[in-house]
Amino acid sequence: MANARTTHLTRRGILAAGGALGLGAVLAACGDDDAKSGGSESASPSANAAKPGPWTFKDDRGTTVRLDKTPATIVAFIGVAAALHDYGIEAKGVFGPTKTSAGQADVQAGGLDISKVEILGNVWDEFNVEKYAALAPDVLISTMFDAAGTLWYVPEASKDKIAKLAPSVGISVFDRQLTAPLERMWELAESLGADMTAAKVTAAKKRFEDAATRLRAAAKAKPDIKVLVGSASAELFYVSGSNLSIDLEYFKALGVNFVEPPADVLKASGGWYESLSWENVDKYPADIILMDDRTSAIQPAAITKETWKKLPAVKAGQVIPRSTEPILSYDKCAPLLENLAAAIEKAKKVS
């Protein structure tokens, strides 16, 4: 899964970079850990209005956060911010892939207007702690890709300093089906004051449920259609296993027939993927290929390898994007199911 695949395996440290940043008096009590600058220079204030009375939320680490009032100043991993935005809850600061090199919103930003948030970090291991402190955050929210409860895109080098500035909430996206973190994000948004009875919200949930029914029917009607999940880098092609990832576990539960590396091969990556040279990209015959749509991965249109072009699924035009880190709102997840269902419905057997 390109460089993000590496982070799935090691989680922290491999992509770390140095660079000391003096944080000034506001962070004097937090030590001298490394921090890096990044992102936009200004952002609009949060639209969230703090409600009277205490706020409590138990996250997927088993940690209960208790505040005197509902958080008004939220800082979140970009995908979390995008999900909360769909429920009417706005983050003031974000970190993670937010802006492309062309200055446009990254795919993981969803429907967010990225000009209205403070970007604290845009790449792996980048988090401007000084800007974070200046926001006076009430809470930091991120996803977690391991059983240890490591907050995604919070740098190892500065995590302790960051933790001293505000409590954190972690939503697990590790080794469970998509519906579980979707429900948790719903609960979080509701606790933050979202109107979960709004027509847009209830319609999106119904659309997701209908899409799940459609995907199950498509998979049942064409059980012989093999689906491979890939991600491209300049040197390697990564083939995903169907366990651990929330989307693939759910699709498999709905009956999608994944072709994937055996468990003993996946073990080398902690269960996530197998790395193939481009000469061996045809190791697993497939009828449909789901390709990582993140900016860290080379997109199908830009792949020039002849071995790729010769794959039957590629020649048949049966390659579709995969949101490898789904935005956890029903509005953003329903199309993922619809697109895969449509691909299976019209797929030709080519493997």
Side-chain angles (χ1 to χ4, degrees), residues 69-88:
K69 60 183 179 180
T70 303
T73 303
I74 297 168
V75 172
F77 173 68
I78 184 61
V80 171
L84 292 176
H85 169 79
D86 287 347
Y87 293 125

Side-chain angles (χ1 to χ4, degrees), residues 199-249:
K200 179 181 179 181
V201 173
T202 57
K205 192 171 189 293
K206 177 63 164 56
R207 180 183 174 188
F208 177 89
E209 293 165 349
D210 290 345
T213 299
R214 178 183 175 185
L215 180 54
R216 187 189 297 275
K220 184 177 181 180
K222 290 190 172 182
D224 59 334
I225 294 297
K226 296 179 181 179
V227 179
L228 180 142
V229 181
S231 184
S233 71
E235 301 300 326
L236 296 170
F237 183 78
Y238 304 91
V239 179
S240 290
S242 63
N243 291 326
L244 303 185
S245 296
I246 55 174
D247 59 331
L248 304 186
E249 286 204 13

